[in-house]
Amino acid sequence: MATSGRSALLSSTSTGLKSTLETPNPEDDDGQNLWSTILSEVSTHSRSKLPSGKNVLVMGEVGSGKTTLVAKLQGVEEYMKGRGLEYLYFSVHDDDIDDHTRCNAWVLDGDLYHKGLQGVAVPVDAIGNSLLLITVDMSRPWNALDSLQKWAAVAREHIDKLRVAPETLRELEHRLVKQFQEYTEPGSGDDGTPQRRSEEEESVLLPLGDNTLTHNLGIPMVVVCTKCDAISTLEKEHDYRDEHLDFIQSHIRRFCLQYGASLLYMSVKEMKNLDVLYKYLVHRLYGFPFHCPAQVVERDAVFIPSGWDNEKKIAILHENFQTIKADDNFEDVIVKPPVRKFVHEKEIQAEDDQVFLVKLQSLLAKQPAVTAGRPVDTTTRAPSGSPRTSNRSAAANVANAMPQSGQTSEGVLANFFNSLLTKKAGAGGPGTPGGGNNTPGTVRKSGSKLGLSDVQAELDRISSRETDSDPPNSNETPAADGQDT
C-alpha cells in the first residue's frame, strides 16, 4: 500500500511538471513576437533596397528643352549641353527604408544622325527597366504632331533592332496593358490614397478602346510639353484662341492614347509641374506611391496619367470648337507662320564720316546744278556785285545802264528812268526816224512831249548832284530842247 501510494504521488508530480512545462508563459510569447517582428522587418528591408540600373531615355527636337529638363530634375543650375548622347542622372530617395539610388537619364540629340546611340542607353537586357520620355516644344506647336510621330517611330525601330525574345516582349506588352487597365483615381481621403477596388473589380478588367494601345512599345512612355509659358505669346502674336489650344491638346491626347502614354504640360522657367513629373517617374520606375490626380482645367498645367484618358473624355474638348471641326487636319488648322527675314542676319557697319562726305561730294559734282526756283547764273559776277540776270527786258536795260563804279541810290534811280525812256524811244514804228536810237530826243509821240521833257529835266537835276555824273547824261539835253523847237 505504501509503495502504491508513493508511485501515485510521483506520477502526479511528474504529470504536474509536464503540464507546467507545456503551458506557455504570456510574457515569453510577447518577447518572442517582438524579436520576430524586428528580424522580419530587417530581412524585408534588406531585400527591398531600391534597384539600380533604371533608365530614362529622353528624345525630342533640337531646342525643345531636353537637357534643361533633366538638369532641373537633378537640381543643377549650371550645366553644359553636349552632342550625340548625353548622360545625366537624378537622385531617388526612399524615406521609408532610408535608401537612395540614382536613375540614369540619357538625352539623345535632336539630329537623327545620332539615333544609333540608343543602344548605349537602352540595351536589350535593360529594356524592362527603361522609360521613354518625348519632349514637345509648345512655343512651336505646329511641329508637335510630326515630332511625336517621328520620335515614336525612332523608338519602335530601335526596339525592333534589339531582337528581344518574343516571350519577353509579349510579357512587357501585357504588363503595360495591365497597368493601363488597373489605373484608379486617387481617393478623396485625407491621406490621398487610391480608392480600394474589391476583389471582383480587380478580377474584371475593362476592355481597351478601339484607339487605345494600338502601338504598344512594351516600355512606358511619357509625353512632356515644354515651354508652356509661351502660350500667352501665341495668343498675342499669332492670334491663338482657346479652341486652337484645345485642338492641339486633343490631337496630342489621341497620340498618347495610341501608345498608352502619359501627358504632362510643364514650364521649367516657371517651375510648373516639375515636381509632378519627378513623382510620376519614380512611381512608374520604382513603384513609389503616387497621389496626384489628373488635371485638365489649367491649359498650361495639364496632367493626364496613363490609364485615365479615353475617347469620351477627349470629345469634351470638341464642345468648345466654333470655327474648327474635330476631324480637321492638324496642319490645316495649326499653320506654321511665314519665316521673317531679320536684318541682323548680315551685320552692317557704318563707314567713316569723312569717307561718306567725300563720296557725297563726288556724286554732287557729277550731277548738273539745278535749283528749285530759277536758273543759276554760271557767269562770273563783277566785283561790285551786279544783280542776277532776268528774262525781263527792263531789268536787262537797267543792268546795262548802271555804271560799273559805286553809285548812290539817286544815281540808280536816274538810270532806271533813263532805261524807261530808252525803251519808249526804241518802241517807235518802223516809219519813225530814229526808231533804233537810244536817246530820248527821238520820241515823236503826240501828247507826251511835255511830260517827257519834264521827266528829263528832273533826271538832269538829279544827275547834277552826283559827283561822278555820267557824261552821256549831259548830251541828252540838246536833244530834248530840239523837241521844243
Side-chain angles (χ1 to χ4, degrees), residues 61 141-152 330-331:
E61 300 294 332
W142 44 86
N143 297 329
L145 203 59
D146 291 339
S147 177
L148 288 173
Q149 294 174 353
K150 179 179 73 174
W151 293 109
F330 187 84
E331 296 79 7

Side-chain angles (χ1 to χ4, degrees), residues 179-441:
Q179 182 273 331
F180 192 94
Q181 292 176 327
E182 291 181 348
Y183 172 80
T184 56
E185 282 281 352
S188 58
D190 297 335
D191 56 351
T193 56
Q195 296 177 353
R196 293 289 182 179
R197 302 178 61 183
S198 61
E199 296 181 359
E200 296 180 356
E201 291 178 349
E202 291 180 355
S203 60
V204 177
L205 298 177
L206 297 177
L208 299 176
D210 295 336
N211 296 323
T212 304
L213 276 173
T214 55
H215 301 74
N216 194 341
L217 297 179
I219 59 176
M221 180 189 295
V222 178
V223 175
V224 177
C225 296
T226 59
K227 303 180 183 180
C228 290
D229 53 281
I231 291 180
S232 58
T233 305
L234 295 175
E235 293 177 338
K236 295 178 181 178
E237 296 183 358
H238 302 288
D239 196 20
Y240 275 46
R241 298 184 298 273
D242 289 340
E243 59 179 348
H244 292 92
L245 301 176
D246 292 341
F247 185 81
I248 296 171
Q249 184 186 144
S250 64
H251 276 268
I252 296 178
R253 286 171 64 175
R254 285 178 182 174
F255 171 86
C256 294
L257 203 60
Q258 294 176 355
Y259 285 86
S262 306
L263 176 61
L264 187 75
Y265 280 33
M266 66 170 300
S267 171
V268 175
K269 182 179 179 180
E270 298 178 355
M271 299 296 290
K272 185 174 292 185
N273 269 353
L274 186 63
D275 56 339
V276 177
L277 176 62
Y278 174 79
K279 293 177 182 178
Y280 190 74
L281 291 178
V282 297
H283 164 68
R284 296 299 301 269
L285 290 173
Y286 298 94
F288 282 26
F290 184 74
H291 309 309
C292 298
Q295 176 61 258
V296 293
V297 177
E298 298 183 17
R299 59 184 182 179
D300 56 348
V302 176
F303 171 62
I304 300 177
S306 176
W308 180 87
D309 210 359
N310 53 45
E311 290 287 348
K312 293 182 179 180
K313 293 179 180 178
I314 297 176
I316 298 176
L317 296 173
H318 303 161
E319 298 176 359
N320 299 327
F321 292 171
Q322 297 179 357
T323 61
I324 303 174
K325 295 181 180 179
D327 54 351
D328 289 343
N329 293 328
F330 187 84
E331 296 79 7
D332 297 338
V333 178
I334 310 300
V335 182
K336 181 180 180 181
V339 180
R340 300 177 182 177
K341 295 183 179 180
F342 296 97
V343 180
H344 67 268
E345 291 180 358
K346 184 178 180 181
E347 185 177 359
I348 299 176
Q349 295 182 355
E351 59 184 355
D352 187 68
D353 294 342
Q354 298 298 327
V355 177
F356 170 74
L357 293 175
V358 170
K359 291 182 179 180
L360 186 61
Q361 184 180 10
S362 62
L363 291 176
L364 292 175
K366 295 179 182 179
Q367 296 180 358
V370 178
T371 58
R374 57 188 68 180
V376 180
D377 186 10
T378 57
T379 59
T380 305
R381 296 183 178 181
S384 59
S386 59
R388 289 177 292 182
T389 59
S390 176
N391 294 330
R392 294 178 294 181
S393 60
N397 294 331
V398 171
N400 294 329
M402 290 180 62
Q404 297 299 323
S405 61
Q407 295 180 354
T408 62
S409 60
E410 293 180 352
V412 175
L413 185 60
N415 292 333
F416 174 72
F417 282 107
N418 283 331
S419 66
L420 292 177
L421 295 174
T422 304
K423 181 180 179 182
K424 290 181 178 295
T432 305
N437 193 3
N438 292 333
T439 60

Side-chain angles (χ1 to χ4, degrees), residues 31-79:
Q32 292 179 358
N33 293 334
L34 177 62
W35 282 107
S36 62
T37 304
I38 294 175
L39 293 175
S40 62
E41 288 180 357
V42 171
S43 61
T44 304
H45 289 175
S46 62
R47 292 194 304 268
S48 63
K49 288 185 178 180
L50 290 176
S52 59
K54 299 289 184 177
N55 302 290
V56 176
L57 179 60
V58 185
M59 297 181 177
E61 300 294 332
V62 177
S64 60
K66 303 183 296 293
T67 307
T68 306
L69 174 62
V70 179
K72 288 295 182 181
L73 291 175
Q74 187 179 357
V76 178
E77 296 296 335
E78 297 180 359
Y79 55 90

Side-chain angles (χ1 to χ4, degrees), residues 95-116:
D95 295 333
D96 295 338
I97 61 176
D98 194 17
D99 190 18
H100 66 277
T101 185
R102 290 180 177 180
C103 182
N104 304 318
W106 305 87
V107 181
L108 185 65
D109 197 289
D111 190 355
L112 291 178
Y113 176 79
H114 304 286
K115 66 179 182 179

